[in-house]
């Protein structure tokens, strides 16, 4: 998506670093990395990855931080690449978060984000379901996960049948864990329980950043379906110094 061979000599900010895997890859590509997440367990996971692969490396900083905190944003400085995949729509104030990260991108720098696609009434349904899940008791949460899981599995079985594959094969369960990094169960928990939840149409994201001095250079949509649209913007200017 960034259309580069490596990140040598570049500064890389990972907003909502989660497990730290993408921070690790940015580091392996030669970047100076700053990772932060609101969740202390995610921060701990990132720190563990650094301990295993880049111990005592001063060019990888990891800390707890809040993208909605103006004081924290002002402290960070600027970066050549600002990256936030599937995070800002879970803050509870997506448009505020989208605006807060603008000054973090240096002139000529790249902003790479992914945001849930707005599917209209379908997105409204998912938001209400996620809200219900988070307000429910544990038994009801399990029933909701099983119900949504059955729905997704039925769709998958129909697709396999229509494409000449065995509709009763469950091989994709193990493949999912390898490709996603989590079991199907926790993938469902992650999806059904992921609230706050906000969405945007591609043109809304484009217009928002266009008026603030950014040029869209790369776009990958989910074809109007369920999932995230990915954007790479370049901030106008040519100064790439942090």
């Amino acid at each position: 998506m960034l259309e580069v061979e490596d990140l040598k000599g570049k500064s890389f900010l990972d907003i909502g670093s989660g497990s730290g895997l993408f921070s690790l890859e940015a580091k392996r590509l030669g970047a100076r990395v700053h990772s932060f997440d609101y969740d202390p367990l995610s921060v701990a996971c990132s720190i563990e990855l650094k301990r295993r692969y880049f111990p005592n490396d001063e060019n990888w900083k990891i800390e707890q931080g809040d993208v909605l905190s103006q004081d924290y944003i002002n402290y960070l400085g600027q970066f050549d690449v600002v990256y936030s995949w599937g995070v800002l729509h879970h803050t509870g104030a997506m448009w505020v978060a989208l605006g807060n990260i603008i000054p973090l991108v240096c002139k000529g720098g790249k902003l790479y984000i992914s945001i849930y696609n707005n599917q209209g009434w379908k997105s409204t349904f998912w938001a209400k379901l996620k809200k219900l899940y988070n307000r429910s008791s544990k038994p009801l949460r399990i029933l909701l996960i099983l119900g949504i899981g059955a729905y997704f599995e039925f769709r998958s079985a129909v697709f396999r049948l229509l494409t000449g594959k065995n509709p009763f094969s469950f091989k994709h369960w193990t493949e999912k864990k390898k490709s996603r990094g989590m079991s199907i169960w926790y993938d469902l928990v992650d999806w059904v329980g992921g609230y706050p939840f906000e969405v945007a149409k591609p043109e809304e994201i484009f217009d928002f950043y266009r008026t603030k001095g950014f040029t869209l250079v790369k776009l990958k949509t989910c074809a109007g379906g369920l999932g995230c649209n990915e954007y790479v913007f370049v901030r106008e200017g040519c100064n790439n110094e942090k």
Side-chain angles (χ1 to χ4, degrees), residues 17-34:
S17 55
S19 65
L21 280 174
F22 288 93
S23 290
L24 175 62
E25 287 308 304
K27 192 74 187 71
R28 284 174 166 171
L29 289 170
R32 303 187 308 276
V33 179
H34 188 120

Side-chain angles (χ1 to χ4, degrees), residues 98-110:
L98 288 168
N100 281 357
I101 66 177
I102 288 174
L104 300 176
V105 187
C106 70
K107 291 181 179 180
K110 292 182 178 180

